[in-house]
């Protein structure tokens, strides 16, 4: 709980300097201390049609969450994460999960063959979470946190609320 309060204070007061590298340092702390990801399941700077900031790996069942970080307070656009989640050709995965964040907001996405079959879209934004209160951090943890979410069970349930 202590780091969640620190996170809320950071969002309210901002960070200096607010550039992407510094924002990424804070996102790493959020992943570890608020979302309970272990260091061995967080891989930074994976080359995947460019460099994705973080890949979070569940070992069983094999699932990966891709995290793209932008500068603190910057405007988030679907294009910032699209190339990391949409793979051309028949090798595209059934479902790929991604998050785009500037530390204040988290946009949660799904993409892949099954998403396209269900919605007709290649990329689908499932949720946008504005970090303002403790409940927002809890909601984020339920969607992409380590293990506490039942291997993305809450995210799969959120798909029922989406246009898909």
């Amino acid at each position: 709980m202590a780091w969640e309060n620190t996170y809320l204070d950071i969002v309210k007061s901002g960070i200096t300097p607010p550039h992407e590298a510094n924002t990424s340092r804070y996102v790493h702390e959020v992943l570890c201390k608020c979302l309970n990801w272990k260091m061995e399941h967080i891989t930074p700077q994976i080359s995947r049609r460019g460099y994705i900031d973080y890949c979070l790996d569940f070992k069983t069942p094999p699932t990966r969450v891709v995290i793209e970080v932008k500068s603190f307070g910057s405007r988030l656009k679907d294009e910032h994460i699209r190339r990391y989640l949409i793979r051309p050709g028949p090798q595209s995965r059934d479902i790929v999960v991604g998050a785009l964040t500037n530390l204040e907001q988290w946009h949660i996405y799904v993409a892949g063959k099954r998403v396209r079959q269900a919605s007709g879209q290649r990329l689908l934004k499932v949720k946008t979470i504005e970090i303002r209160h403790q409940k927002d951090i809890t909601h984020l943890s339920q969607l992409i946190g380590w293990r506490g979410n039942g291997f993305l069970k809450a995210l799969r349930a959120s798909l029922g609320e989406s246009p898909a």
Side-chain angles (χ1 to χ4, degrees):
M1 276 291 208
W3 219 90
E4 285 88 347
N5 292 330
T6 301
Y7 181 23
L8 291 171
D9 290 341
I10 290 165
V11 168
K12 287 177 189 170
S13 61
I15 63 173
T16 305
H19 57 65
E20 189 172 318
N22 200 29
T23 305
S24 188
R25 288 183 28 219
Y26 285 97
V27 168
H28 190 270
E29 293 295 312
V30 169
L31 293 173
C32 292
K33 296 178 179 173
C34 296
L35 305 183
N36 298 314
W37 282 91
K38 308 291 183 244
M39 289 289 286
E40 61 268 19
H41 298 285
I42 301 172
T43 308
Q45 295 298 309
I46 293 284
S47 177
R48 187 179 195 179
R49 298 179 71 198
Y51 282 92
I52 191 73
D53 293 306
Y54 297 100
C55 281
L56 312 176
D57 290 311
F58 291 104
K59 296 304 178 190
T60 48
T63 304
R64 177 175 277 178
V65 178
V66 174
I67 308 288
E68 175 65 8
V69 178
K70 292 299 172 194
S71 300
F72 182 82
S74 66
R75 186 166 174 243
L76 301 177
K77 301 176 187 174
D78 295 350
E79 294 78 35
H80 292 148
I81 197 165
R82 178 180 303 280
R83 68 180 172 167
Y84 302 116
L85 297 180
I86 296 175
R87 296 187 149 235
Q91 295 93 356
S92 64
R93 293 180 141 180
D94 283 347
I95 293 182
V96 182
V97 177
L100 175 62
T101 185
N102 62 10
L103 202 59
E104 293 178 297
Q105 291 183 338
W106 292 74
H107 294 196
I108 311 299
Y109 296 88
V110 291
K113 184 170 52 177
R114 300 258 174 154
V115 172
R116 189 172 188 180
Q117 289 169 347
S119 70
Q121 298 177 37
R122 296 183 63 151
L123 179 70
L124 188 64
K125 187 187 309 178
V126 178
K127 287 280 184 187
T128 295
I129 300 172
E130 298 265 348
I131 303 298
R132 300 288 179 249
H133 306 284
Q134 176 67 41
K135 67 181 171 110
D136 303 321
I137 299 170
T138 300
H139 190 199
L140 181 63
S141 183
Q142 290 169 343
L143 292 175
I144 62 167
W146 170 255
R147 296 254 190 218
N149 64 16
F151 298 112
L152 306 174
K153 186 167 114 181
L155 181 60
R156 290 191 302 266
S158 292
L159 285 173
E161 301 168 11
S162 75

